[in-house]
Amino acid sequence: DNSLVGELCDYLSEKADSNLTLRELTERFHFGRSHLCDVFKKCTGYTILQYHTKLRMDRAKKLLSEGNMSISGVSEALGYESPAYFSRTFRRYTGMSPTDFKGVPSDNATVYLEKDTPLI
């Protein structure tokens, strides 16, 4: 189980700049959806999609703090279909908008699973 979760984490990290579906993961790893989800949640405490979104938000924070990209550019670089959806997701995970985040020193920003549940 740990090696499967490790492989899943590596794959999710590689694909942090794109949308993923559980169907893609089941085809890639040749396990059923329930098995993948149960094993991942048991080992990490997060669902696969929560973990993938966390990785994407970590990358978004990095790109935004570098200051070279617009919010639309970050959204596109991370494979979001629209900047508005990216902004809503970013706000849900960080508690602030991408625009507001750009003005915050990088050590003061924490990624949240939901507004009141810290992920890191």
Side-chain angles (χ1 to χ4, degrees):
D1 285 354
N2 286 338
S3 65
L4 173 61
V5 171
E7 288 179 43
L8 269 167
C9 288
D10 290 344
Y11 187 76
L12 293 171
S13 183
E14 289 172 22
K15 300 293 184 178
D17 58 353
S18 62
N19 286 321
L20 278 179
T21 64
L22 291 174
R23 183 176 195 179
E24 290 173 60
L25 295 175
T26 60
E27 290 172 1
R28 166 80 167 79
F29 290 95
H30 308 290
F31 284 100
R33 176 184 171 149
S34 294
H35 180 72
L36 282 180
C37 291
D38 291 346
V39 167
F40 195 86
K41 176 92 176 190
K42 182 180 151 194
C43 290
T44 67
Y46 305 110
T47 68
I48 292 171
L49 296 180
Q50 285 172 333
Y51 186 82
H52 187 245
T53 301
K54 178 214 176 294
L55 293 172
R56 292 173 92 185
M57 293 299 103
D58 286 345
R59 286 220 179 136
K61 285 176 28 177
K62 184 175 189 294
L63 293 171
L64 289 168
S65 65
E66 290 171 354
N68 301 333
M69 296 179 83
S70 67
I71 292 165
S72 294
V74 172
S75 171
E76 186 178 323
L78 295 174
Y80 281 91
E81 294 179 19
S82 76
Y85 181 68
F86 163 72
S87 293
R88 280 193 308 273
T89 303
F90 190 88
R91 181 182 292 275
R92 188 179 53 208
Y93 276 77
T94 64
M96 64 180 69
S97 72
T99 303
D100 292 342
F101 180 84
K102 281 184 144 189
V104 173
S106 60
D107 15 336
N108 291 340
T110 301
V111 172
Y112 288 87
L113 185 56
E114 295 295 335
K115 285 187 181 176
D116 56 355
T117 308
L119 252 182
I120 53 173

